[in-house]
Amino acid sequence: NTELWRLRATLKSAGADPYEFLRIDHDSIGFRHDCEHWIDAAEFDALTQGVMDGSNEAALRESTPALRQAITLYRGELAEGLFDEWCGAPREAYRTRFAAVLDFLMQRSVGARQWHD
């Protein structure tokens, strides 16, 4: 209840109607995907998909600009400050993917001797 209250208050303070973005019923709370929105985590997922799904090296090399964009989206842990059980596994998955992207970009830069990137 407290987190839902905070979420509603945050949306209201940003001038948004919480029910335009949230689907709330007796059993669950979720995000309404039919509203106009942009979610940094979803963008991060789209930009980094190839890093964790086993894409070939050539495809990853072509996606280097997208991976660089993705690392700018990662600004800390998912739902930082929230300690509910549901966020533990996704939080670790994002942290792992972020580390994999950084590792890939670092190895690529070292291999190409691109010290300024």
Side-chain angles (χ1 to χ4, degrees):
N1 279 341
T2 302
E3 295 307 323
L4 179 57
W5 177 83
R6 286 183 187 164
L7 182 56
R8 284 181 184 157
T10 299
L11 288 168
K12 284 180 184 177
S13 70
D17 175 8
Y19 297 101
E20 180 181 338
F21 297 97
L22 302 175
R23 178 191 40 78
I24 303 169
D25 60 35
H26 183 67
D27 298 320
S28 64
I29 301 165
F31 184 78
R32 291 186 49 193
H33 294 283
D34 63 339
C35 67
E36 188 173 326
H37 67 282
W38 179 83
I39 300 174
D40 57 354
E43 185 75 12
F44 182 84
D45 286 342
L47 292 169
T48 62
Q49 184 176 15
V51 174
M52 303 302 281
D53 71 4
S55 291
N56 65 43
E57 182 69 22
L60 286 173
R61 275 194 305 275
E62 291 175 16
S63 68
T64 298
L67 295 176
R68 287 187 178 144
Q69 181 183 354
I71 62 172
T72 66
L73 294 173
Y74 190 93
R75 290 177 271 165
E77 293 189 339
L78 176 70
E80 192 169 2
L82 186 63
F83 300 103
D84 285 342
E85 287 181 33
W86 70 266
C87 60
R91 182 179 287 156
E92 182 61 30
Y94 278 111
R95 186 181 309 125
T96 299
R97 187 179 288 192
F98 180 67
V101 169
L102 289 177
D103 183 60
F104 172 81
L105 290 173
M106 182 181 66
Q107 288 186 33
R108 175 131 169 77
S109 293
V110 168
R113 303 178 73 80
Q114 295 175 329
W115 312 121
H116 62 281
D117 290 344

